[in-house]
Amino acid sequence: MSFDCRKNNLTSSIKPNMTQDELKTLVGQAALHYVEPGSIVGVGTGSTVNKFIDALATMKDRIAGAVSSSVASTERLHALGIKVFDATEVDELAVYIDGADEIDHAGHMIKGGGAALTREKIVAAQSRQFVCIADESKLVQTLGNFAVPVEVIPMAEKRIARQFAALGGTATLRLKEGAPLVTDNGQHILDVTGLKISDPLAFESQVNQWPGVVTVGVFAFQKASVCLLGTSGGVKTLVF
Ligand code: 5RP
């Protein structure tokens, strides 16, 4: 990892004791720097990405549109007048902008806190560059403090939970209003605690092979190439 000390025009927005919400706004705006005029932008999901979408709306007449990773982001993009393309209409995207629940010093991430991990990984895989936007609380030495989201086919969820137990993890079915949360793809989410993921590539490969796993929320193969980290000193750019 290296630090890119590029100055951006947001230094005037830095104030002491910025809230997490203000840091998200700062990195959401900083991500505009990576959007190529005339392009279609890959857009992730979550509260940090919502700040990016709001910023993107200020240049909506200078982009062709977006490919979205969730129903929620699609709705926000539409509401702000940004055209949304289906992923199948586009061959390759120059850049994908998304948040993370954790990111390590090599750009590996845990994602899926917003249950959008499968489409996020699909759009990331279609993109040349993954720009992660996050506040500094997300930067960790080793992935695994945040429960790892895993999208699963419901008929396999009990067996998959037992497979995680054999690795020392505890898998909990994610609920919404007392019932299993149903993803945009009609599946369920297991949140797995108790794992220390010291080899993210090996972990992602292993869990991907379990029947019934749709997507594991470790992004090692689709890791970030750049992270714009919101800190009290401004936006730090980490290049992986
Ligand atoms: C959604 C995600 C989000 O990127 C992740 O949960 C971070 O969200 P936020 O920006 O709200 O902290 O992976 O599935």
Side-chain angles (χ1 to χ4, degrees):
M1 177 181 73
S2 63
F3 292 112
D4 177 344
C5 295
R6 251 180 301 189
K7 287 262 181 250
N8 56 51
N9 59 7
L10 294 163
T11 35
S12 58
S13 322
I14 300 164
K15 314 179 284 192
N17 306 320
M18 289 181 81
T19 64
Q20 199 179 29
D21 194 62
E22 288 169 327
L23 293 176
K24 289 178 181 186
T25 302
L26 205 60
V27 292
Q29 292 172 346
L32 291 184
H33 181 77
Y34 291 82
V35 175
E36 293 175 9
S39 68
I40 300 174
V41 188
V43 174
T45 299
S47 57
T48 315
V49 166
N50 284 344
K51 306 290 191 184
F52 168 66
I53 295 173
D54 296 348
L56 191 63
T58 65
M59 60 177 292
K60 67 180 172 198
D61 298 331
R62 284 179 283 135
I63 57 168
V67 170
S68 167
S69 61
S70 63
V71 172
S73 288
T74 298
E75 285 172 354
R76 195 175 188 96
L77 289 158
H78 278 154
L80 291 168
I82 298 170
K83 182 169 177 171
V84 178
F85 292 85
D86 194 89
T88 57
E89 295 179 272
V90 183
D91 288 336
E92 190 182 56
L93 300 164
V95 68
Y96 176 64
I97 314 270
D98 199 357
D101 298 304
E102 283 185 351
I103 181 163
D104 71 12
H105 290 264
H108 305 127
M109 294 165 285
I110 290 181
K111 293 185 44 53
L117 63 164
T118 296
R119 296 187 189 195
E120 290 173 342
K121 212 176 255 191
I122 290 169
V123 185
Q126 206 171 337
S127 306
R128 285 199 296 277
Q129 194 179 29
F130 187 140
V131 176
C132 175
I133 50 176
D135 67 83
E136 60 190 338
S137 69
K138 307 288 183 71
L139 186 64
V140 298
Q141 286 300 329
T142 307
L143 300 179
N145 267 346
F146 191 91
V148 180
V150 185
E151 185 165 358
V152 297
I153 307 268
M155 69 180 284
E157 65 200 20
K158 293 226 164 109
R159 194 208 70 248
I160 292 168
R162 288 195 294 276
Q163 287 187 267
F164 278 117
L167 296 183
T170 303
T172 306
L173 183 64
R174 194 180 298 183
L175 303 177
K176 186 179 178 189
E177 291 157 11
L181 177 142
V182 178
T183 68
D184 288 351
N185 311 307
Q187 310 303 337
H188 289 174
I189 298 279
L190 293 175
D191 290 302
V192 187
T193 55
L195 301 170
K196 277 283 163 230
I197 303 166
S198 51
D199 186 343
L201 277 168
F203 180 83
E204 186 179 0
S205 295
Q206 179 182 11
V207 177
N208 271 340
Q209 291 178 44
W210 296 352
V213 168
V214 178
T215 301
V216 54
V218 168
F219 283 51
F221 290 97
Q222 268 71 50
K223 70 173 196 160
S225 21
V226 171
C227 178
L228 303 177
L229 201 67
T231 75
S232 48
V235 178
K236 209 183 247 185
T237 304
L238 313 181
V239 182
F240 306 106

